[in-house]
Amino acid sequence: VMYKQYCATCHGADAKGHGPAAGSLKALPPDLTTLANRHDGAFPYSYVSDVLLLGPFAAHGSVAMPTWGPIFLYLDKQNETAVRQRIKNLSGYLASLQIGQKPRGRATI
């Protein structure tokens, strides 16, 4: 639900970067289903969390993306725990969309 509400307009419902507002941006939004591929096959939780919390940086490609941390902080009435949970939920959703992600190691008994 959060992805649809905050991200799909630019990144698209399928997270491939072709949302309805993408054409009006100077730089096209990245395909979020290939984040793991672009980070040696592992989903970059820290990178994604940082972009969501602190905003995009040069490597992200465009400063057109909102800095969600302060927006969520406002929406959640300054509740930092709620903001971190939002970011964790969005990151987890994006991780679930990855194409070609290396499987995580499993604990052995």
Side-chain angles (χ1 to χ4, degrees):
V1 172
M2 279 194 311
Y3 176 84
K4 187 185 238 183
Q5 186 174 7
Y6 300 112
C7 311
T9 300
C10 294
H11 291 282
D14 63 359
K16 294 187 179 278
H18 304 291
S24 66
L25 301 173
K26 288 183 181 182
L28 290 176
D31 179 343
L32 299 178
T33 67
T34 61
L35 285 165
N37 283 342
R38 291 183 272 141
H39 290 87
D40 297 323
F43 185 76
Y45 282 97
S46 293
Y47 170 77
V48 171
S49 294
D50 285 349
V51 169
L52 290 170
L53 185 61
L54 306 171
F57 18 92
H60 184 70
S62 171
V63 293
M65 184 176 146
T67 302
W68 290 109
I71 294 168
F72 292 156
L73 204 56
Y74 173 78
L75 293 173
D76 292 323
K77 298 178 174 50
Q78 306 303 312
N79 183 337
E80 289 186 27
T81 302
V83 171
R84 295 217 178 264
Q85 187 62 51
R86 280 183 187 260
I87 289 171
K88 181 179 178 185
N89 291 346
L90 275 170
S91 296
Y93 177 71
L94 293 175
S96 77
L97 300 177
Q98 296 309 292
I99 298 168
Q101 183 172 353
K102 290 180 185 175
R104 288 182 167 209
R106 296 182 180 243
T108 56
I109 298 177

